[in-house]
Amino acid sequence: MDQEYERRLLKQINHQNLPEGQLAKSGGATCSPLSVKSGDRFIPTRVGSNWCINFHYANENCQSPNQNHRSKDAGSDTGKDTVAYAALLRNELLGAGIESVPDLHTEDRRHTVFSQDTHSLFRVTRLCDLSVDGDSVTSVCWNERGSLVAVGTHKGYVQIWDAAGGRKLTSLEGHSARVGALAWNGEQLSSGSRDRVILQRDVRTPPSAERRLQGHRQEVCGLKWSPDHQHLASGGNDNKLLVWNSSSLLPMQQYSDHLAAVKAIAWSPHQHGLLVSGGGTADRCLRFWNTLTGQPLQSTDTGSQVCNLAWSKHANELVSTHGYSQNQILVWKYPSLNQVAKLTGHSYRVLYLAVSPDGEAIVTGAGDETLRFWNVFSKTRCTKESKSVLNLFTRIR
């Protein structure tokens, strides 16, 4: 395949846009430019993928990865930890073999090349390979302690793995289609599927003990538990955002303002009851909700499909990742919704987002088959919450 033909093919794939509410079928639009015959906008195919890793650093005065790269590093220890974290993830996710952490003073941190000839700081192995069973991974989620990882599969199974021991503890049945969303709540695990059902199970009890939550009319593509462990938010391909409590089998709240699928959901760790959601290509909006009163708050049009959302642990800020048509990463101040940073670099939909344990860095994955690491949040403590009686989120003590 000559370069010009490949360029035109990638451009054509990158501009495909599915109508909201309709999933891509075999042979339709996919997230991976290298494998156009399978996958869809929620779960792209990983077969034959050739992932690479890039590193980026952002601050409030920087608007692009190139500008971020020219800024000075915050410190060699933090930077080296970031690269070590990247190497660990590359091994864990891609089975790339043992790799070492390069010297940050001599290596370009945006395009780091890992060497296997020098001393390795740690040993990592591939956790699992579902292809031997004719299955594939469609979702992953760590528990809060970081000791267990749940793996959702295309065939509808939910596997629980001991990451340190490298062994599968159990495989849970119950779904009749792929599991695209997972969320831990202590020892309980919620799973959302293309079969439109949410299953909630305690991993310490027999598999038969489960709660079935049925409220969505299409695929469940987003799940998040609130920080106080009392409420579960679910988003669906039916354009609905539902909020469930920990005991009822029916949703306590339903929000229908989005005009497209709701995959991106995040609860604020700073303001009790504050929930944000993002809509797909036909909606493109961030919408904020006061779940204490059931009332909508503000909203903003981001200009692109919203794929993921995450709040900063240290400040009243949040990050959003986007798909068609900008494929960008945005950092927002709340409640002003001023953009702190606009990060570009991915050439396809940024469908995956994870925050580092220290809350400072994020990793993004996209259909362009790259993992990119960004320093976007600082550890500066957020300003204290207003004690005004007009503040709907002030806790009653």
Side-chain angles (χ1 to χ4, degrees):
M1 179 183 295
D2 61 77
Q3 293 182 350
E4 178 61 22
Y5 176 77
E6 183 177 7
R7 183 188 65 80
R8 285 189 282 108
L9 177 61
L10 293 179
K11 183 177 180 181
Q12 178 182 359
I13 295 173
N14 197 39
H15 284 80
Q16 287 176 331
N17 181 21
L18 282 175
E20 294 300 327
Q22 177 181 349
L23 291 175
K25 298 181 180 178
S26 177
T30 122
C31 299
S32 174
L34 298 184
S35 303
V36 299
K37 63 182 180 180
S38 61
D40 61 34
R41 61 180 173 153
F42 294 135
I43 312 294
T45 178
R46 293 174 177 82
V47 178
S49 297
N50 183 22
W51 291 78
C52 62
I53 294 178
N54 294 323
F55 303 88
H56 304 279
Y57 297 82
N59 57 50
E60 294 190 8
N61 298 320
C62 297
Q63 299 298 318
S64 71
N66 291 334
Q67 292 171 327
N68 298 337
H69 177 52
R70 289 193 291 267
S71 64
K72 292 184 178 180
D73 303 323
S76 59
D77 292 339
T78 301
K80 192 163 186 176
D81 288 344
T82 301
V83 179
Y85 177 56
L88 174 63
L89 281 182
R90 184 176 181 189
N91 279 279
E92 289 286 355
L93 297 178
L94 311 178
I98 300 173
E99 296 182 343
S100 62
V101 176
D103 187 345
L104 294 177
H105 298 290
T106 60
E107 295 286 349
D108 181 345
R109 288 189 291 175
R110 286 189 59 238
H111 301 284
T112 302
V113 178
F114 292 92
S115 170
Q116 298 187 10
D117 298 330
T118 56
H119 179 66
S120 175
L121 295 183
F122 43 73
R123 179 180 180 182
V124 288
T125 57
R126 178 179 297 184
L127 181 62
C128 61
D129 183 1
L130 304 186
S131 63
V132 296
D133 298 321
D135 207 348
S136 60
V137 177
T138 51
S139 56
V140 293
C141 187
W142 288 96
N143 71 342
E144 295 176 7
R145 297 180 181 177
S147 57
L148 302 178
V149 59
V151 178
T153 81
H154 183 78
K155 292 185 175 180
Y157 296 102
V158 177
Q159 300 180 357
I160 310 297
W161 286 78
D162 174 3
R167 61 192 182 95
K168 182 171 66 175
L169 302 180
T170 186
S171 181
L172 304 174
E173 301 179 353
H175 288 294
S176 59
R178 71 176 181 202
V179 178
L182 295 167
W184 287 91
N185 186 30
E187 300 296 333
Q188 295 184 337
L189 176 64
S190 300
S191 56
S193 171
R194 199 173 193 171
D195 63 12
R196 303 172 294 179
V197 175
I198 300 171
L199 294 182
Q200 186 172 318
R201 293 172 279 203
D202 192 318
V203 297
R204 301 166 299 180
T205 61
S208 57
E210 65 181 25
R211 294 178 64 235
R212 296 178 64 90
L213 307 180
Q214 296 177 285
H216 288 284
R217 295 184 177 182
Q218 293 190 39
E219 178 172 12
V220 180
C221 47
L223 287 175
K224 285 292 174 63
W225 277 95
S226 60
D228 61 5
H229 306 285
Q230 297 302 308
H231 298 97
L232 173 68
S234 64
N237 198 38
D238 54 5
N239 308 346
K240 298 295 191 297
L241 174 67
L242 305 182
V243 178
W244 315 74
N245 63 27
S246 57
S247 58
S248 175
L249 297 179
L250 297 175
M252 55 178 287
Q253 293 174 355
Q254 175 175 302
Y255 302 105
S256 305
D257 292 21
H258 282 292
L259 303 177
V262 182
K263 179 179 182 291
I265 306 171
W267 293 89
S268 171
H270 311 294
Q271 295 178 321
H272 183 59
L274 176 59
L275 178 66
V276 59
S277 56
T281 309
D283 183 77
R284 307 177 305 181
C285 290
L286 296 183
R287 300 182 184 275
F288 295 82
W289 316 92
N290 181 351
T291 61
L292 302 182
T293 64
Q295 297 299 312
L297 300 175
Q298 63 219 92
S299 66
T300 185
D301 190 335
T302 67
S304 295
Q305 172 192 39
V306 185
C307 298
N308 293 281
L309 289 164
W311 289 87
S312 167
K313 298 179 181 179
H314 311 297
N316 216 3
E317 299 176 351
L318 67 155
V319 60
S320 59
T321 74
H322 298 269
Y324 183 84
S325 60
Q326 301 298 318
N327 308 318
Q328 61 194 357
I329 301 164
L330 300 176
V331 183
W332 309 81
K333 285 279 190 182
Y334 185 82
S336 67
L337 294 184
N338 293 328
Q339 286 189 22
V340 177
K342 177 180 179 181
L343 309 173
T344 58
H346 282 296
S347 60
Y348 210 70
R349 290 175 292 180
V350 189
L351 287 172
Y352 302 103
L353 169 69
V355 182
S356 62
D358 65 3
E360 289 194 293
I362 63 171
V363 57
T364 55
D368 57 15
E369 300 184 348
T370 63
L371 295 176
R372 296 172 185 262
F373 293 77
W374 317 77
N375 278 352
V376 294
F377 296 132
S378 70
K379 286 188 176 180
T380 303
R381 306 306 297 178
C382 61
T383 57
K384 289 188 177 182
E385 188 176 322
S386 170
K387 301 303 180 182
S388 168
V389 294
L390 299 179
N391 184 354
L392 297 176
F393 298 105
T394 302
R395 290 179 180 270
I396 299 176
R397 299 186 183 277

